[in-house]
Amino acid sequence: MFDRIGEFLGQYLEFDRPERQAYVSQDFDALCEMLRVGDVLLVEGRAKISSGIKYLTQSTWSHAALCVSDQTSGAPCELIEVTLEEGCHKIPLTKYKGFNTRVCRAVSLDDDERKAVARYAEERIGLRYDKRNIFDLARYLLPFPPIPIRWRRRMMSFGAGDPTRAICSSLIAQAFQSVNYPILPTIEMSSAAGASKWHHREVWHIRHYSMFMPRDFDLSPYFAVVKPTIKKGFDHRKITWAEPEELANTEAEAGASSIPLGEGDTESGGNGQSQQVG
């Protein structure tokens, strides 16, 4: 019974709502050409669960996926992701055509390490989604009663602790930690044993993989943000801008086709759902 309820809940929360996306800036062809094995693709989701994650994390990015196959090998681009409904599985990059995305690339990794990161994720295909992690993340971000941030991680355990379960960002964090690559480590200054009190060294502490969120790959100073359009080659001098007369005519046509809204009315899309404005 609980499995059926979970399946229904997953379908409801992950139902895609394209009308929620006001503007798409992605150049999909450039993305396909530029994406490489080991890259992290952050996605601005449009489903109900995506809205909740974006609210909790105060970030544009609600989902993360790992590239495990790119066009340099002659194969289509493929990603590993973990979703509420399907768990850990492999998908084509085309699933996120029409979404706003960001590519985060780990610097200093060689080809063998990138393949090791991808292989780690592929070996975990079939894992189920760790639903408890979502509730624990919410408790961490919205604590009650209020607890200082520096104490929360020591007082809470994240997720079910079941090795057969994962979430999107935690699986990717584990994959990079498997090759000792940092994402957002805690760095402390510590006195070396037997040294003078003036001699200190940096000590890096690995954060537990379940504490990572999609935005952490964007915030990490060890991941480069790669923009496909710029990487492909962008020259503003080649842009053909609309003439002022054309722009005025376009605005006039748009204004004539719009229907004024009366007091108390709401703007809705073709399927009757309220459109997101702003």
Side-chain angles (χ1 to χ4, degrees), residues 29 31-36 69-77 93:
D29 292 335
L31 176 64
C32 292
E33 294 177 14
M34 182 277 310
L35 201 65
R36 295 292 178 263
S69 175
D70 59 43
Q71 290 186 351
T72 60
S73 61
C77 290
L93 178 60

Side-chain angles (χ1 to χ4, degrees), residues 207-229:
R207 293 168 62 195
H208 194 267
Y209 58 83
S210 65
M211 293 182 178
F212 287 97
M213 298 169 281
R215 73 169 185 175
D216 289 338
F217 298 96
D218 190 12
L219 295 175
S220 173
Y222 316 109
F223 282 76
V225 174
V226 183
K227 297 193 175 183
T229 302

Side-chain angles (χ1 to χ4, degrees), residues 158-174:
F158 282 76
D162 187 344
T164 66
R165 296 175 180 269
I167 62 172
C168 62
S169 50
S170 70
L171 177 67
I172 298 174
Q174 283 179 288

Side-chain angles (χ1 to χ4, degrees), residues 131-152:
K131 300 179 181 66
R132 179 176 167 181
N133 200 299
I134 291 294
F135 294 110
D136 288 341
L137 181 60
R139 288 196 297 119
Y140 170 73
L141 293 169
L142 302 172
F144 184 82
I147 300 173
I149 292 177
R150 64 181 180 275
W151 293 347
R152 292 182 208 165

Side-chain angles (χ1 to χ4, degrees), residues 36-58:
R36 295 292 178 263
V37 170
D39 287 351
V40 179
L41 184 72
L42 303 183
V43 182
E44 182 183 11
R46 305 178 296 207
K48 282 186 175 294
I49 190 172
S50 302
S51 300
I53 293 173
K54 285 188 282 188
Y55 173 77
L56 286 175
T57 62
Q58 295 295 290

